[in-house]
Amino acid sequence: MENLADELDKRLTALWHVLGRRGKRELSRTAASVLATLRDTGPRRITDLAEAEAVAQPTITTLVGRLERDGLVRRAPDPADARAVRVHLTDEGRERLQAMRAARTALLEQRLKDFTADERAALAAALPLLDRLMEEDE
């Protein structure tokens, strides 16, 4: 393959679109990413979330307001700085993430049914390599 990075990017992007188009869109990708960040890293300040999502602070502030209104996150004072708040994932937010993952998993399971055992084994063998691609530099 001439440019493996480009070909991998095309396929991962296309797969993400397929998974995102399935069913009604409950949350934007950024909203889902914010919820996942809170799930994976714990409560964060708005500025930390903006940096993690590579968006402007006012954009995250607006998004967090919507997520809070929908009961998916809550704000609480930052114990390290009384002037700041931290955003926390609620149980409802965690459940929404789990439901989204379950829907994606069901779609993938449906598509994998048509794969042969060898094809499934090839995909399984590639998983550790995908994990390495996701590792962040220290």
Side-chain angles (χ1 to χ4, degrees):
M1 196 161 288
E2 189 168 309
N3 190 337
L4 180 59
D6 186 53
E7 293 300 321
L8 182 60
D9 179 66
K10 287 178 191 175
R11 283 161 178 83
L12 292 175
T13 300
L15 179 60
W16 185 244
H17 285 291
V18 166
L19 295 174
R21 283 194 307 260
R22 185 70 171 174
K24 73 174 189 169
R25 260 316 258 259
E26 294 184 33
L27 294 172
S28 70
R29 286 193 174 113
T30 304
S33 181
V34 166
L35 294 181
T37 296
L38 294 172
R39 178 198 61 210
D40 296 343
T41 64
R44 305 279 294 264
R45 288 183 175 193
I46 295 277
T47 52
D48 294 338
L49 290 172
E51 184 178 321
E53 297 302 321
V55 298
Q57 187 172 335
T59 302
I60 284 291
T61 300
T62 300
L63 176 59
V64 166
R66 279 198 313 269
L67 294 171
E68 186 175 36
R69 181 195 68 219
D70 294 343
L72 305 177
V73 301
R74 67 177 173 80
R75 296 179 210 216
D78 185 337
D81 183 351
R83 300 167 297 168
V85 297
R86 298 184 119 204
V87 180
H88 298 253
L89 182 66
T90 64
D91 289 342
E92 188 174 343
R94 191 174 309 282
E95 289 168 11
R96 180 78 60 90
L97 280 174
Q98 289 171 341
M100 291 171 65
R101 174 171 275 172
R104 289 190 313 267
T105 298
L107 173 62
L108 287 168
E109 285 175 350
Q110 184 65 34
R111 289 176 175 240
L112 286 169
K113 283 182 183 179
D114 294 333
F115 283 44
T116 67
D118 286 344
E119 289 170 330
R120 278 204 272 259
L123 276 176
L127 294 177
L129 298 175
L130 292 173
D131 289 341
R132 283 182 50 201
L133 286 174
M134 292 182 289
E135 290 175 3
E136 293 188 32
D137 293 332
E138 307 232 354

